[in-house]
Amino acid sequence: MTQKEGTRPLVAGHIDALKPYVPGKPISELRRELGIENIIKLASNENPLGPSPAAVEAMRAVAGEAHIYPDAAAFAFREAVSRKDGVPLDRIGVGNGSNELLTLLVRTFCQPGDTGVVCQYSFIAYRIIMQAAGLKWSEAPVGPGYAMDVDAILEAVTDTTRVVFVANPNNPTGTYMPHTEVARLARTLPEEIILIVDEAYDDYVRAEGHQSALALTDVRERLVVTRTFSKVYGMGGARAGYMIAPAEMIGYVNRTREPFNVNAMAQAGAAAALFDEDFIGRSVSVNEESRALLEDGLKGLNEEHGGITWIPSETNFLLVETSRDGAALNDAMLRRGVIVRPMRGYGLPEALRISLGTPAEIERCVKALGESLAEYDGGKR
Ligand SMILES: *Cc1c(COP(=O)(O)O)cnc(C)c1O
């Protein structure tokens, strides 16, 4: 940034160096840009079935009371979490999406000079949040198959480490750290460090022996588990998330958060969504169906065009390696009305992350990807 000598810069260096989070392209934006209709978005890991119907009903029911401030203690929401997860109320904190909770945790517990540890190719929000707070961090390299590596995480820890972020399963790779490994990390990390396990995709995990990190609260005091309503519950637009942490930590976050951080509609919708078992079950089974369909489609595309691989996923998306320029393929997909997520920002310039939409959407996506590959390869000749 240029500035006159002697004047004070508008922002600190770490803010100036921040790159904004790049969200999935909204359908309305692509429609404006290309003037095409019939666009599908498989870019933000949203639930293709829409929101939980129970949540919609609960949100409608409170919309008429929108002139009243929400419950600052979010009692009904936290009470629902307490019943669902079997944890006491004073260990539950709620946020305007789980992203806000991650921000609050860093703001509340990290001081200047503290540092963080993240896994290579992990959710970019962790780094944005730390950089915004002026924190530095180190990256624990992943192992073969992009597997998150507990030994690498432990090796990345130093005297200044204050917080360790693990997304399990991880976004954007879809990889899963087995519970025994999460347990080993929880046991081995020095006790003053806060271990945050982000379980945004927990409901989708089908791995044998899977357990939430919530089972590890006896093993480790400073453990925070975060959950979101943006994925299986289909409420990304409503903004709600929660965390389970020691009561003392929840108490401190209650001092730093805004009193009305979760709006009344989101509170009511989230509480209802937690017990919409039918919807959760349907969402997970459609996800399984779509994953099998996409894997099949990718297999076919690989036979036809070559160079297509993907990482086995325990989530509602697949990270697809294309052996080609991901940005160019993404453009070709956009022109066909299919929005996926290019991964250059994650250091994976040849990869596309594809959310598991409905089976019909997946069929359309595979067709568009096939055409895009043909177009790309044709252009190269
Ligand atoms: C989608 C996602 C979230 C959800 O964030 P919200 O703020 O709750 O919408 C959190 N963590 C990971 C790893 C995600 O992929």
Side-chain angles (χ1 to χ4, degrees), residues 263-340:
N263 73 71
M265 274 67 73
Q267 288 191 27
L274 281 173
F275 294 95
D276 197 347
E277 302 292 347
D278 171 61
F279 177 76
I280 299 166
R282 261 193 301 133
S283 300
V284 171
S285 75
V286 167
N287 191 64
E288 296 290 298
E289 191 186 332
S290 289
R291 186 194 293 128
L293 199 61
L294 180 54
E295 289 182 333
D296 245 29
L298 292 171
K299 213 154 125 203
L301 292 179
N302 184 53
E303 280 159 17
E304 194 177 339
H305 304 277
I308 303 291
T309 56
W310 65 93
I311 304 172
S313 167
E314 292 284 339
T315 63
N316 64 345
F317 59 84
L318 282 186
L319 187 74
V320 180
E321 295 277 13
T322 68
S323 314
R324 296 163 177 85
D325 178 16
L329 279 179
N330 182 60
D331 278 347
M333 299 278 285
L334 288 176
R335 278 185 270 110
R336 289 166 173 84
V338 178
I339 308 175
V340 297

Side-chain angles (χ1 to χ4, degrees), residues 45 96-100 102 123 126 167 169 171 198 200-201 228-231 239-241:
N45 307 339
N96 183 37
S98 54
N99 212 305
E100 187 201 23
L102 303 173
F123 193 36
Y126 310 148
N171 173 15
D198 176 350
Y201 300 96
T228 180
F229 288 83
S230 304
K231 306 289 153 61
R239 312 304 301 132

